[in-house]
Amino acid sequence: MALTLLDVAHWSTWAVCAVMKLPQLVAVLQAGSARGLSVSSLLLELAGFIVFLRYQIYYGYPLQTYLEYPIIIAQDVILLLCVLHFYGKMKRALFFAAVFLGGWYMLTLRKWIIDLAMNLCTFISAASKLVQLWCLWQTRDSGQVSALTWSMSAYTCATRIFTTVVTTNDLAVLIRFITMLILNIWVTATILHYRKTKKTD
């Protein structure tokens, strides 16, 4: 029974992650605007994803426990490029690429670096969500921010809590997913709140 449920959790996570950022990309491209989206939030999220993926690979965890991360990272890069374009900051893209590629290499120079980075990864990923929340609170407008993308993120965190308990039981990974689940639900609720507030005005 657990194996079947584990397989369903893996497959559903991969399916959701394959399209997770698409609603956000579509909203930005259709509007021709990145209003409501935070570049800082996207950069922090991307950093968190890269550290997490590198950690999983470094420790040789089963591929099915992190297979979605290359897909999410690719979607995040595309979204970041669109947001940078609409904010008129495309010149920064090359700098960001160099920082992320250098970071990917440096993470595994020493075991203590990847371990420290993973422990900080939860704070980095949490900061990305808090920065997006702050952006929403300041503008009181969800703009082009997709509630569907954020709710899909919450779902994948919930499934990854289960798969982590069943496969690796890594406490640092569990803490990360629990924290991200709570914050993804909070961002989704905030987006829906401001969307509802805007409709009633």
Side-chain angles (χ1 to χ4, degrees):
M1 177 72 176
L3 184 60
T4 304
L5 192 54
L6 180 62
D7 290 338
V8 169
H10 285 312
W11 281 100
S12 66
T13 299
W14 299 331
V16 169
C17 287
V19 297
M20 186 162 57
K21 298 291 182 173
L22 294 183
Q24 186 63 73
L25 280 165
V26 168
V28 167
L29 293 174
Q30 282 181 341
S33 166
R35 186 173 51 93
L37 287 164
S38 166
V39 172
S40 298
S41 174
L42 284 169
L43 290 169
L44 289 166
E45 179 179 65
L46 193 54
F49 287 159
I50 288 170
V51 168
F52 186 76
L53 176 62
R54 195 65 165 151
Y55 178 86
Q56 296 279 323
I57 293 168
Y58 182 83
Y59 280 104
Y61 285 156
L63 180 62
Q64 62 267 32
T65 63
Y66 62 88
L67 185 62
E68 69 272 17
Y69 278 86
I71 298 164
I72 298 171
I73 289 170
Q75 290 177 49
D76 242 9
V77 167
I78 294 166
L79 179 59
L80 178 61
L81 291 173
C82 289
V83 171
L84 288 172
H85 169 74
F86 287 119
Y87 283 146
K89 299 179 179 180
M90 276 301 284
K91 291 180 182 177
R92 296 181 182 180
L94 187 58
F95 170 74
F96 294 142
V99 169
F100 284 123
L101 287 172
W104 175 265
Y105 170 74
M106 291 178 61
L107 282 170
T108 55
L109 288 176
R110 300 272 188 261
K111 181 183 179 304
W112 68 266
I113 295 173
I114 192 69
D115 290 340
L116 177 63
M118 182 57 198
N119 288 324
L120 293 175
C121 178
T122 299
F123 295 108
I124 293 167
S125 296
S128 78
K129 313 304 183 214
L130 293 171
V131 168
Q132 184 59 59
L133 279 166
W134 181 255
C135 184
L136 290 166
W137 294 332
Q138 280 189 316
T139 62
R140 298 190 172 282
D141 181 8
S142 59
Q144 307 315 317
V145 185
S146 170
L148 181 56
T149 292
W150 285 93
S151 61
M152 288 193 293
S153 292
Y155 171 79
T156 61
C157 287
T159 59
R160 282 302 176 211
I161 290 168
F162 170 73
T163 61
T164 301
V165 168
V166 174
T167 56
T168 64
N169 210 20
D170 186 316
L171 185 60
V173 173
L174 278 172
I175 290 169
R176 179 184 186 279
F177 282 129
I178 292 167
T179 304
M180 294 309 101
L181 174 62
I182 293 165
L183 291 172
N184 282 329
I185 291 170
W186 192 2
V187 172
T188 303
T190 304
I191 293 166
L192 294 174
H193 169 74
Y194 286 126
R195 198 152 291 152
K196 182 179 176 185
T197 303
K198 192 172 182 181
K199 284 181 183 175
T200 57
D201 288 345

